[in-house]
Amino acid sequence: MPKKVVLAYSGGLDTSIIIPWLKENYDGCEVIAMIGDLGQQEDLEAARKKALATGASSAYVEDLREEFITQYIWPTLRAGAVYEHKYLLGTSFARPLLAQRQVQLAKQLGADAVAHGCTGKGNDQVRFELAAKALAPDLKIIAPWREWSIVSREEAIAYAQSHNIPVEQTKKNIYSRDRNIWHLSHEGGVLEDPANAPDEAMWQWVVAPEKAAEKPTTVEIGFEGGTPVSVDGKNLGAMALLNKLNEIAAANGVGRMDIVENRLVGIKSRGAYETPGGTLLVTAHRELESLALDRETAHYQQQLALRYAEMVYYGMWFTPLRESLDAFFTASQKRVTGSVALTLCRGNVTIASRRSPYSLYRTNLASFTMTGYNPKDAEGFINLFALPITVPQEAQVPQTEKTTQKARA
C-alpha cells in the first residue's frame, strides 16, 4: 500500500476529487500535488491553495513553460508532425513533460507512487504512464478512473459536491478542457455527437472569424535551422514569440479546428481545438521547407513526420526511436532558415512571401523562358524514365508475331 503519492494536479474536476479519494481508499496516504505551469493562464496559486484545502499535505507549482516550448514544441514543429492531418498535438507533448517533473518530484520527496486523473478511455493515461515507466519503473502508478465506481462526469460532480469541493464544471458546462501556451482543447458535451456543430459559446480563445477585423493582417515569422526566432523582423525569446503569435492569430479568427480522431486505445473521439499561434508556425515552417529542402529529403521527411506524430500522440516520447528521429530532423533542418510572411483575414491564412538564403528555387530554371536549361535533354530522360512502362507493353506482343512483323517490314 503506497504511503506517499505525487498527484499530477490541475485543479479541475477529476484531480480535485482524487485527493480525498486517495486518502479514503489508500489508508490515509500522504498526497502531494504537483501543478505544472505550461502557460495555461489560470490562477495556479489558487489551485495550489485548493489542493491543500482538499487534503494535500503539500503542493508545488512548477514553471515548465520555457522547457515546454524549447524541448517539446519546437522539436515537434521541426519534425512537421501533425496527427491525422489536423491535430497539432497540444495535449500530447505536454503530458510527458508533466510526467517527467512528477517523477522527479517523487524521487526528491521519497514518494513511492504517482497518480493522475486521466480516464480509462483516453490517450493521456498512456502518455503519463509510459513516461513514468521509462523514467522510474519502480514507482507504483495509481489511476483512480480505472479503480473507482464513478462512471461519468455527472457522478464526479456529485462526488465533489458531497465533499464540499468547489469545481467549475456543472451539468450545463460539462466540457473537459486542457489549456497550455500552445493550445486549448474541448471535449464532451454536444461534441460527443459528431453531427452536432460546436456551440459558439464553447470557444474561449480564437475570435469567431466573422467577428474578426475585416482588414487583413500580415505577419512575418523568421526561422533558424527550423526553429522560430523572430516576428516581423524582431528576435524574440520562445515564450514571447509564441505569445505574440497567439495574440495575432486569435484576434484574426485563425486557429479553430474540429476533428474526429483515432485514439490510441482504439476509440474514435471528437474534439475541438484552438491553436492560434501554432497554426501560423506550422504553416510558415512548411512553406519555408518548400524552398530549402531538396525533393528527396522533403519526401522522406514526410514519412518520418507521420511516424513522429504517431509517437508523440501515443506517448512514446522517452524512447530511443523518438530521440533518433530528432537527430534526423536536426540534420534535415539545417537549411530551413529564412522567413515567411502570412496574411490573415477572418480565419484564413494565405502566403505573402517566402525567403531563404538557402533557397533551392532558381528563377532561370523555373521560368517559362528556356534559359539555363536544355529542353533537348528531356527526350532522353523521358525515354529512360519510361522504360518500366514501355518494356511490359512490348512483352505483351508474342515473339512469333514480332518476327512476322519484321519479315513483312
Side-chain angles (χ1 to χ4, degrees):
M1 182 72 70
K3 300 299 181 183
K4 185 182 292 188
V5 181
V6 176
L7 169 67
Y9 184 82
S10 68
L13 173 61
D14 298 333
T15 56
S16 293
I17 65 176
I18 284 176
I19 293 177
W21 184 89
L22 284 171
K23 295 172 71 70
E24 290 173 1
N25 291 271
Y26 279 84
D27 196 25
C29 69
E30 180 182 354
V31 180
I32 300 162
M34 191 284 293
I35 304 165
D37 183 358
L38 298 177
Q40 55 265 54
Q41 298 183 6
E42 296 172 358
D43 189 344
L44 300 185
E45 178 57 23
R48 189 187 71 84
K49 291 179 179 178
K50 181 179 178 181
L52 295 173
T54 52
S57 64
S58 56
Y60 296 80
V61 177
E62 305 290 318
D63 188 351
L64 305 173
R65 292 173 296 173
E66 186 77 19
E67 184 179 0
F68 180 42
I69 299 172
T70 61
Q71 302 302 312
Y72 290 78
I73 295 178
W74 287 172
T76 305
L77 175 67
R78 286 194 294 267
V82 176
Y83 186 72
E84 296 191 342
H85 310 293
K86 289 183 176 182
Y87 178 40
L88 303 186
L89 299 166
T91 296
S92 305
F93 48 39
R95 298 322 191 204
L97 174 56
L98 290 171
Q100 181 184 47
R101 185 61 191 126
Q102 181 185 22
V103 166
Q104 290 171 344
L105 198 59
K107 291 180 177 180
Q108 176 185 328
L109 300 176
D112 50 2
V114 292
H116 60 74
C118 310
T119 72
K121 282 187 175 181
N123 301 304
D124 279 344
Q125 58 181 335
V126 182
R127 296 163 184 157
F128 268 104
E129 295 183 31
L130 285 188
K133 290 178 182 297
L135 301 172
D138 55 314
L139 287 175
K140 178 177 175 57
I141 299 171
I142 302 174
W145 270 101
R146 300 203 299 259
E147 297 183 26
W148 60 25
S149 59
I150 297 171
V151 296
S152 68
R153 296 186 70 74
E154 289 81 3
E155 288 187 10
I157 291 170
Y159 182 95
Q161 291 171 342
S162 69
H163 288 71
N164 297 314
I165 301 170
V167 292
E168 292 183 2
Q169 285 83 358
T170 65
K171 292 183 179 180
K172 291 184 179 179
N173 179 27
I174 203 69
Y175 294 109
S176 174
R177 291 186 167 100
D178 176 70
R179 182 166 187 167
N180 56 48
I181 197 171
W182 183 252
H183 91 154
L184 170 60
S185 66
H186 312 268
E187 290 183 326
V190 298
L191 295 177
E192 292 189 347
D193 184 347
N196 293 333
D199 289 331
E200 182 57 36
M202 178 200 72
W203 303 105
Q204 298 186 345
W205 194 357
V206 175
V207 171
E210 64 272 16
K211 294 181 180 179
E214 291 185 26
K215 184 179 179 181
T217 297
T218 298
V219 59
E220 186 176 52
I221 305 172
F223 294 82
E224 290 183 5
T227 298
V229 294
S230 68
V231 176
D232 292 333
K234 182 179 179 181
N235 285 346
L236 296 172
M239 280 196 291
L241 184 146
L242 188 47
N243 280 327
K244 180 69 174 176
L245 293 179
N246 280 334
E247 178 185 349
I248 294 170
N252 283 276
V254 172
R256 291 185 178 186
M257 191 271 290
D258 182 346
I259 182 176
V260 174
E261 66 195 64
N262 289 293
R263 288 180 178 173
L264 172 60
V265 294
I267 299 170
K268 284 188 181 292
S269 68
R270 197 270 190 93
Y273 299 94
E274 300 179 73
T275 319
T279 299
L280 301 186
L281 285 167
V282 169
T283 302
H285 179 259
R286 185 178 294 143
E287 293 302 319
L288 187 57
E289 284 187 323
S290 72
L291 279 185
L293 292 183
D294 65 277
R295 183 186 67 192
E296 297 307 312
T297 300
H299 289 186
Y300 191 67
Q301 185 171 286
Q302 288 177 18
Q303 299 176 46
L304 297 187
L306 174 61
R307 184 65 180 124
Y308 199 102
E310 288 177 339
M311 295 193 73
V312 174
Y313 190 85
Y314 297 166
M316 300 174 67
W317 188 269
F318 298 106
T319 60
L321 177 55
R322 204 275 311 166
E323 293 174 1
S324 299
L325 290 177
D326 264 352
F328 169 85
F329 287 113
T330 297
S332 73
Q333 294 290 297
K334 287 180 180 179
R335 299 175 60 92
V336 185
T337 294
S339 64
V340 175
L342 305 173
T343 299
L344 322 180
C345 186
R346 293 196 158 188
N348 295 308
V349 181
T350 55
I351 313 304
S353 71
R354 311 169 185 83
R355 295 183 177 88
S356 173
Y358 300 107
S359 174
L360 300 177
Y361 187 93
R362 296 293 180 268
T363 303
N364 66 324
L365 292 175
S367 171
F368 282 100
T369 302
M370 292 298 180
T371 58
Y373 175 85
N374 185 353
K376 293 181 179 179
D377 292 341
E379 182 177 356
F381 166 76
I382 294 171
N383 288 335
L384 293 176
F385 192 66
L387 282 176
I389 301 172
T390 58
V391 169
Q393 295 300 321
E394 292 176 358
Q396 291 179 13
V397 180
Q399 201 66 33
T400 55
E401 186 176 331
K402 290 181 182 179
T403 304
T404 303
Q405 290 173 350
K406 287 182 179 180
R408 289 175 180 171

